[in-house]
Amino acid sequence: MTISVAIIGSGPSAFYTVDALAKSGAACQIDMIERLPAPFGLIRYGVAPDHESTRKVARNFDKLARGGALKFFGNVEVGRDVSMDDLRGMYDAVVLAVGAPHDRKLGISGQDKKNVFGSADFVGWYNGHPDFRDLNPDLKVKAAAVVGVGNVALDVARLLVRSREELSETDMPDYAVEAFANSSVTDVYLFGRRGPAEAAFTMGELREMGELDLASPVIDAAQLPANVDHLPEAERRVPAKLVEMLRAFSAKPADKPKRVHFRFYSAPKEIHGGERVAGIRIERTKVEGGRAVGTGQFEDIACGLVVAAIGYRSPKIDGAVFDDGKGLYTNTDGRVAPGLYAVGWAMRGPSGVIGSNKIDGQMVGGHIVKDCAVPGGTGPKPGRSALEQALAKRGSKITNYDDWIALDAEEVKRARPKSPRGKFTSVGEMLRFLKKA
Ligand SMILES: Cc1cc2nc3c(=O)[nH]c(=O)nc-3n(C[C@H](O)[C@H](O)[C@H](O)COP(=O)(O)OP(=O)(O)OC[C@H]3O[C@@H](n4cnc5c(N)ncnc54)[C@H](O)[C@@H]3O)c2cc1C
């Protein structure tokens, strides 16, 4: 029996699931449904443009797609163009690989003022995501606050102080390069509610903050613990290294024209200003039992831009049980309901690196083979032919993988000198190009 599988999404978790199914030896017909015309999810629209080498993992996924392991249905949104219930009727297995594209809100007063953004929107803007290209943040401000102490916060802080030369060698769209290059930002404040030992940076990303052309990292040595012995022994290695690197930063003079200030034990309490942000109120905290506890001491810091990088939520699609508290699909090891699975950030929330999604893909690929390739399993259902029939009524073009190959080649062709590609930043522009090609 051939198992028909629909995978919703085309990020790392989707491709790792395809890979697992392809390697399982089971006969599968795999369809990948992506709301954008272009594949690869956050590899294309999340990973920082100055980290081009990280994006190279997409080459392996490209090989899978070109090798015929799947059929790509781009520019098709589940929940809009086809319902989850319909898909479940069509396919033996449906996999939610939809990621977690929505920002968690700060939940403080003033969060809706102008020039306050969540990092999903801000990152999407500088990466040319069609949903966010018109975000238009005002970077003509002297100071910016970035809330969060993970790698996404570091990405945002780093890009805010990069030079035009550094940015123009990336695939950042022209509009974003211009906005960053003409920005007046000299000081970026990174706020974390807990201490340096609790930060979620990786070493490579933190090290880069000490190697920027235009900006120095600034940290008050008094915020750095003498050791990380308060953490369980098995969890000390990375935090100890991070603290040592921050200590090295604190010992160096801040002699570059811009600064990135690391402020730990700082919980945002209010964003003030009129219609637009003028500053942020921080409450000093102390860490008790791993949690940040307010001390009642407050500080106001003037800033004209706030970016909150404090986590993400999955998109809610009717037809699958959603855990509102956690912002992901209720599942047990990737099983959501009979014939319905979740992988990646939709399954376990927004944490880990691209490679972390491989384990999810392998696990869920294994479940699918086990659940469907047995007598009495959920199949066989019609699969692709039923989807094609249902989508035939749809007015807008469905992009296939050959279309992506054409878009990719055109992006490479139109790149600025030394830049890897000049991205299409709107769906309309992509579809118009494909019509002419
Ligand atoms: C800003 C940022 C920077 C990062 N940088 C790095 C890094 O440098 N290195 C690293 O290893 N990891 C990085 N990560 C983490 C990495 O990107 C994630 O681990 C990974 O992308 C999660 O994969 P996913 O498949 O679950 O989700 P995603 O990559 O988000 O893919 C989800 C896909 O589903 C599609 N989709 C959503 N809803 C629908 C729908 N209804 N119908 C059809 N399609 C839909 C989306 O358009 C998207 O293409 C970063 C994450 C972020 C947020």
Side-chain angles (χ1 to χ4, degrees), residues 109-110 113 270-274 276-281 299-303:
S109 122
K113 290 191 187 299
E270 187 185 337
I271 292 171
H272 33 91
R276 50 178 295 153
V277 49
I280 187 163
R281 173 160 295 179
E299 185 186 2
D300 288 332
I301 289 164
C303 60

Side-chain angles (χ1 to χ4, degrees), residues 2-7 14-33 60-73 91 384 401:
T2 297
I3 309 169
S4 58
V5 184
I7 301 181
F15 274 98
Y16 283 127
T17 307
V18 174
D19 189 41
L21 288 170
K23 285 178 178 152
S24 72
C28 294
Q29 183 193 61
I30 308 171
D31 293 336
M32 186 178 275
I33 305 170
N60 301 331
F61 302 154
D62 179 69
K63 269 191 211 145
L64 268 178
R66 287 181 198 241
L70 61 105
K71 181 160 183 188
F72 182 71
F73 291 80
Y91 288 86
R384 186 172 298 162
Y401 206 77

